[in-house]
Amino acid sequence: MDTDVAVGRHPAAVSRPGQRKRSLTMTDLTAQRGLYAGPAPIVSKDLYAEVHRGSAIRDRASLRLDPGTLVSGNTYFGRFPASYWQRWTTVTEVSVELVVTGTGLLSMGASDVEGEPRVVAAEQVADAKQAKVALTAKLDKFYDGGALWLDLETEGGQTLRVEQVRWTVEAPEKIRPTAVTICTMNRADDCLKNLQALAADVSSLETLDAIYVADQGTDLVESRDGFEQVAKDLADKLHYIKQPNLGGAGGFTRGLFEVAGHTATEHANVLFMDDDVLLEPDLVIRMTAFSNRAANPIIVGGQMLNLFHPNQLHVGAEYARLNTLEPGQPVEHSLSTADLLGVDEETLKPNRQERRLDAGYNGWWSCLIPYEVVQATGYPLPFFFQWDDAEYSYRARAHGFPTVTLPGAGVWHADFHMKDWDEWHRYFNLRNSIITAALHSPFNLNLLSRVLLAQLVRYLLGMQYGLSATLIKAVEDFLKGPEVLRDGGVEAMQEIRRIRDAYPETKRYKATDVPGIASNDIGIINSAPPPSRTLVVLLKRILHQTTGRHRFGLGAVPADEAHWWHTSLFSTVVVTDASQEGVRVRSYDRAKTLDLAKRGIRMVQRLRREGAAVQERYQRAMPELTSRENWKRLYGL
């Protein structure tokens, strides 16, 4: 197995972070840059700065205002998250520095928890020529919420150009650099684009120490034409590693494993990043600076914006209801699937996250972990993927390391609601959620059993037999105990795919090419509203299905209307896949329904009897499962 190989070099010649200086020294620390356009044309410039009046030319690193123009940085990427800096760091003031040419008014705006604006500093410049200007504000009025931003204004006859805009804070004695680790598997083009984005900005990313790419696929990143050039551009920062597919957990942990294996790692941060995101490279600066000035070590999470709807914020901060297996719950007062260029329907105020939020965990689309957390908490569990991020955050919290989701540190990731739930990865979602609940929740087995039975009933009524089998397999494998994690999930991945392959409704087809059904015979039949008497309707649907009474023989149902109370009315229903790329055909099968129901009931009974003992086994196995030695074994090193 090739490890740590850079293009054109023998492994022994590759520079390792432990061999380089692990800390930087400077008088001030860039907390974020002032940018005025995104990393790709699909990203609206209004996410960086809004032209409220007049005309302006917004480039990536500079802004030119025509006469009579007002431009505001009170935007998602333009705002400095003052509340978070006041709460979590030792910084007491922040400056925005810029190089100015021309005439105009520079002002630093601020908001409070209600979003009410005020001006905290301002300076009029006249006939400036590449003049350096700085505005400073104290971080003392933002504890519950609020942000800072830069506004620029010209009057008639005035023009103004600003560039080299950066928000700075006092630097610590030593600055801890960050190593980015990217897990990739057969997304070579996506991964290469993100490496190219980092390489194009590398001169500005002073705190970026190394980039680890854990390539677990067969379509390798190194096979692409642009890889050799990006390797040259990144030089000894890039560490390209090929390894067997151990899922997201195995890919991300590899970077953590490599960094923690070197000397002087007390000065290291590791930033996990997905391979298929649209990257805003400035998040490296923002998250690294925040971590460097944190009063105590914390996990710093980046936010996710929806790639297919680039103006949408996925969620401001989230938590998981562990005992009921519900991840992705928006924290109270959090923006959720919010249009960042729109307004709140109730308050009519712009969608800005003014109130400071406390996160339960952060997804690993972008998440920075300081080395102290690894020392105290151990490595991630070999979950393959799904719930590895939540489990790690809750485990770290138990050791005194909270997770902070930092506004303005964002990447674009494929919208979650456009990923179908009925896929093989649902097995890992279920199995790993139960393990996480066993480790970090009261693990009320009566409550958990009711949750699982309710899910199973809904799946069976909706004629999702493969999904029902997936649920049963997930619980059965949980009951096997920690031994199920010994190979990192490789065997489980292969087995669940084999199991699901036996169920026809797990397969996706083009709507015009559904086997055995003429395209013209499929008409949409819309759903009624949710039932007001859920239990009564549930029992009625069960009775009608088991006695072979169906209201509709054949019909089509849109993805957002494929509720159990609607799909259970059909003998055969063609359901749009959540990806919007095809359809799935569900047909009622009485034998499968009864078989899966019996198996599911037996499974829940076993969980109630054996769950507490299995929980203790996972708790005892945690030190070994999360050890460096275990991951070394999994990597075959």
Side-chain angles (χ1 to χ4, degrees), residues 225-469:
D225 291 339
F227 182 76
E228 185 174 356
Q229 183 60 51
V230 83
K232 290 178 181 177
D233 294 341
L234 291 170
D236 63 355
K237 290 184 184 295
L238 179 62
H239 302 264
Y240 180 72
I241 301 166
K242 291 180 285 186
Q243 67 181 36
N245 182 20
L246 292 168
F252 286 126
T253 301
R254 187 57 186 268
L256 208 61
F257 181 93
E258 293 293 325
V259 171
H262 304 311
T263 59
T265 48
E266 68 271 15
H267 297 298
N269 293 310
V270 180
L271 173 57
F272 291 177
M273 194 177 78
D274 274 347
D275 58 350
D276 59 344
V277 298
L278 172 58
L279 173 65
E280 170 50 81
D282 205 55
L283 77 85
V284 177
I285 294 174
R286 299 181 186 211
M287 297 171 75
T288 302
F290 192 80
S291 178
N292 267 274
R293 291 309 316 266
N296 300 290
I298 53 176
I299 295 175
V300 184
Q303 294 183 325
M304 173 185 146
L305 294 92
N306 288 331
L307 182 59
F308 302 142
H309 303 86
N311 298 338
Q312 283 184 358
L313 178 68
H314 167 56
V315 66
E318 58 189 336
Y319 71 100
R321 296 190 183 108
L322 298 178
N323 214 151
T324 52
L325 317 181
E326 297 175 275
Q329 302 300 306
V331 170
E332 189 171 0
H333 302 297
S334 172
L335 294 177
S336 180
T337 317
D339 181 1
L340 296 170
L341 303 183
V343 298
D344 183 273
E345 293 182 358
E346 294 182 4
T347 66
L348 300 182
K349 292 181 178 180
N351 282 327
R352 305 281 185 265
Q353 187 183 306
E354 300 292 359
R355 188 179 296 272
R356 181 176 51 77
L357 308 173
D358 288 339
Y361 72 98
N362 201 92
W364 280 354
W365 48 75
S366 58
C367 190
L368 183 147
I369 302 174
Y371 181 63
E372 291 94 335
V373 177
V374 185
Q375 282 182 307
T377 306
Y379 289 84
L381 275 168
F383 267 177
F384 198 78
F385 75 153
Q386 300 283 329
W387 279 82
D388 42 3
D389 44 18
E391 189 282 325
Y392 197 79
S393 276
Y394 281 106
R395 180 161 29 116
R397 182 177 297 275
H399 285 82
F401 304 104
T403 295
V404 176
T405 298
L406 187 65
V411 296
W412 290 267
H413 185 283
D415 306 25
F416 283 164
H417 70 272
M418 298 190 73
K419 293 186 176 184
D420 203 275
W421 198 238
D422 193 353
E423 293 284 358
W424 63 270
H425 53 68
R426 177 67 175 139
Y427 161 85
F428 288 99
N429 187 291
L430 282 163
R431 188 201 69 181
N432 297 345
S433 66
I434 302 171
I435 296 173
T436 303
L439 293 170
H440 305 298
S441 83
F443 206 51
N444 182 325
L445 290 170
N446 288 328
L447 173 60
L448 179 58
S449 296
R450 290 197 299 272
V451 168
L452 292 169
L453 273 178
Q455 288 187 13
L456 181 62
V457 170
R458 291 197 299 270
Y459 297 161
L460 290 175
L461 280 173
M463 298 174 287
Q464 294 176 284
Y465 304 117
L467 188 54
S468 301

